[in-house]
Every structure is written in structure tokens, then in C-alpha cells.
Amino acid sequence: MKNFNQKVAAITGAGSGIGQQLAILLAQQGTHLALSDVNEQGLVETRSLIAQYPVNATFTQLDVSNQEAIRAWAADSFTHHGKINLIFNNAGVALASTVEGMNYEEMEWIFNINFWGVVYGTKEFLPYLKQSGEGHVINISSLFGLTAQPTQSAYNATKFAVRGFTEALRQELDIQNNGVSATCVHPGGIRTNIANNARMSDSIRALGMNPARASRSFNKVLKTPPSDAAKIILDAVRKNKARILIGTDAKILDVVQRITPTHYSQALNFLTKKSQKNGK
Ligand SMILES: NC(=O)c1ccc[n+]([C@@H]2O[C@H](COP(=O)([O-])OP(=O)(O)OC[C@H]3O[C@@H](n4cnc5c(N)ncnc54)[C@H](O)[C@@H]3O)[C@@H](O)[C@H]2O)c1
């Protein structure tokens, strides 16, 4: 997709962080918007941030783990806007827990949002993207969809799953050559609300971590502004890239995990300690 002017984009998790910045950047480029989030207050904020741009925007409060809600949102958006060209499956949550200390409810919670939310968003919007003649699916994985880390087993599993799902989808769409494509996005640390909203389990004490301080440490490694992330994502869609890495941290670790797939955790520890020492 060479430009976004007069296209229609749907974004999940549009009330904060990367999703909100995508909405602003697209509105600036004349893209009409179907925005959703579970957090109504976030949507109100996004509405005011894009109000100055002459685009048609709809706002829907929904939970991406609810398939019926996504199905209805996709249908309503298509009816309202007359077409849908882009779906950004962006909504996501984080959880820090050991495998041993994690209960099944926590795992189901994060899988329902980070993985099933992406699956529902992809499958329910795909027919409308095809019907619209020109379409793109953008699924947000993570640096943690390429490398694993202690306390992140569930998050890692959801983001590795998003990567596999999206890479297979991309190949199917390439074979069909039907005007629709897909990009898998792997951000490193982006300065958003993800750490503030994360669930921190007491079980991480077993690894010498303090759950009360974990979100502060987590925040310290979130460097890239979400507006930069949004620009990089839209540029990748314009160039029809299959995969995009965001941030120096993601780029370095991607290389390291290819060179040493079983020892990359040492490089990750080094980078984390260095950035915490710098106090950034
Ligand atoms: N911030 C980072 O460092 C980082 C790194 C890699 C990947 N990511 C991914 O980027 C995506 C966007 O996250 P962000 O960093 O902008 O965080 P954020 O917390 O600022 O925004 C996430 C948005 O998703 C919404 N959301 C959460 N659960 C939802 C649900 N069940 N249904 C609908 N909406 C829901 C939240 O209300 C919020 O508005 C996520 O998928 C996240 O995993 C973020």
C-alpha cells in the first residue's frame, strides 16, 4: 500500500501507546478510522487527539478476546466506512510470572488477549480486506516473539505464536496474490503504558525480583517513543515488509539470537543492566 490517504484502517488497543500513535499518524495522512479499545477513557483521549483532522472516525469499546464482539465490530466498520484496508491487531497486555508460580487463569487471560485477539482480528477482517481490493494485516508481536526471558514465558509464548501465525498468513497471501498482505511487527522497549498495566506475580520473588519494583525496572528499558514506533510500522506497510524490528535493542538481540540461539539471554542481561545503570 503506497499511501494511506482516503484508506480505512481499523486499530485495536487504540486508546493508548502504539495504537493511539498509529491513529494520530494515520489521521494526519487522511486515513478514515475504526478504533477500538477495552478502555473507554483511552478512546475518549484518542478522539480528542484526532479531532482536528478531517477524517471519519468511529470508536468502539470492546474486548479483543471476545470473538463475537470483533466479528460485529468488523461488520459494522465495513458497513459504516464502505471498505476496510488495514487491520492493526495491536491490543496487548503483559504478565511477569515464573512458570511454576503461574496459574492457568493468568495464562488464559494473556493468551485470550495477545494471541486469540490477533487471530480474531485477522480472521474477522480478512474477508473485508479482500473485498476492498487492497488490504494489509499488521500483527504486533514483540522482541519477545524472537527471544525468551525469565518471567516472560506466557508473554513469550503468545508473541512467538503471533509471529508463527502471521508469517504463515503472509505466505498464504503471497501465494494467492489477492491484493492483501501481512506484516509482523517486533518492537523492542517502547515508552507506553504496557509496564504500568502489567500483572506482576509474587512468584518472581523466587528469581530474586521484587514484584512491587518490577514495573519500575520494566519501564526503564522502554526507550523508543511510541510515535517513532508508529512511523516505523507505517513505513514497513508502505514497503510491504514481512517483518519489522523496532529499536536498537530489538535489532541487536535479533542478530545475537541468530548467532547464538541458546546463549542470547546473556546479551539481554547485559543490555538490561547497562540501560538500568545509565538510569534512562
Ligand atoms: N511497549 C513495549 O515495549 C512493547 C514491546 C513489544 C511489543 N509491544 C506490544 O505492542 C502492543 C501495544 O502495546 P503498548 O505498548 O502500546 O501498550 P499500552 O498499554 O500503552 O496499550 C495497549 C492498549 O491495549 C488495550 N487493551 C488491553 N487489553 C485489551 C483487551 N482485552 N481488548 C481491547 N483492548 C485491550 C489497552 O486498554 C491499551 O489501550 C501490545 O500488543 C504489546 O504487547 C509493546
Side-chain angles (χ1 to χ4, degrees):
M1 198 170 299
K2 297 293 171 222
N3 80 77
F4 302 114
N5 189 33
Q6 298 307 311
K7 301 288 189 326
V8 179
I11 307 173
T12 67
S16 174
I18 299 171
Q20 185 173 72
Q21 292 300 320
L22 282 166
I24 295 169
L25 202 54
L26 284 164
Q28 287 168 352
Q29 298 180 40
T31 314
H32 303 294
L33 298 165
L35 305 178
S36 74
D37 202 293
V38 73
N39 177 1
E40 204 155 11
Q41 199 45 46
L43 285 178
V44 169
E45 190 183 302
T46 306
R47 181 197 285 266
S48 74
L49 290 169
I50 62 168
Q52 59 186 298
Y53 304 107
V55 296
N56 184 348
T58 54
F59 302 85
T60 306
Q61 196 248 334
L62 60 76
D63 182 339
V64 291
S65 63
N66 180 336
Q67 187 206 338
E68 276 312 314
I70 297 269
R71 175 178 297 205
W73 176 51
D76 291 349
S77 302
F78 186 74
T79 305
H80 179 88
H81 290 283
K83 63 177 181 176
I84 305 278
N85 303 106
L86 299 136
I87 170 71
F88 293 85
N89 291 304
N90 162 76
V93 288
L95 164 69
S97 175
T98 64
V99 171
E100 195 181 5
M102 188 162 45
N103 62 47
Y104 289 109
E105 185 278 330
E106 287 169 326
M107 266 201 102
E108 281 165 13
W109 169 73
I110 196 167
F111 258 91
N112 285 340
I113 297 170
N114 288 10
F115 178 63
W116 284 105
V118 169
V119 173
Y120 299 148
T122 301
K123 283 182 64 63
E124 298 302 336
F125 276 88
L126 205 45
Y128 300 118
L129 299 183
K130 284 172 79 173
Q131 239 175 293
S132 304
E134 195 180 5
H136 209 104
V137 179
I138 301 94
N139 290 340
I140 312 294
S141 173
S142 171
L143 164 61
F144 288 171
L146 301 167
T147 62
Q149 212 196 358
T151 77
Q152 294 301 306
S153 60
Y155 187 81
N156 281 137
T158 65
K159 296 298 187 178
F160 274 68
V162 167
R163 173 187 165 200
F165 177 77
T166 310
E167 288 182 6
L169 169 71
R170 164 81 181 213
Q171 292 171 43
E172 290 177 12
L173 294 170
D174 282 351
I175 293 166
Q176 292 172 73
N177 193 22
N178 56 13
V180 182
S181 194
T183 297
C184 192
V185 181
H186 298 275
I190 314 295
R191 217 180 302 137
T192 68
N193 284 318
I194 191 104
N196 303 330
N197 295 332
R199 288 193 189 181
M200 302 289 177
S201 152
D202 240 24
S203 66
I204 64 175
R205 289 185 194 280
L207 303 177
M209 295 178 195
N210 180 338
R213 289 200 213 114
S215 90
R216 206 170 49 187
S217 310
F218 188 179
N219 268 316
K220 280 186 184 164
V221 295
L222 307 182
K223 298 274 176 57
T224 306
S227 52
D228 287 7
K231 272 187 211 126
I232 292 165
I233 293 168
L234 293 190
D235 195 43
V237 176
R238 241 181 248 111
K239 292 177 179 152
N240 195 19
K241 289 194 173 169
R243 166 193 288 201
I244 183 73
L245 299 159
I246 303 177
T248 315
D249 49 354
K251 286 177 189 159
I252 293 174
L253 272 160
D254 176 51
V255 172
V256 174
Q257 66 86 18
R258 286 190 230 194
I259 297 168
T260 169
T262 51
H263 290 98
Y264 62 74
S265 61
Q266 285 156 14
L268 184 61
N269 290 340
F270 174 75
L271 280 176
T272 306
K273 280 190 187 134
K274 193 164 167 263
S275 71
Q276 289 178 348
K277 205 171 147 197
N278 291 342
K280 287 181 193 162

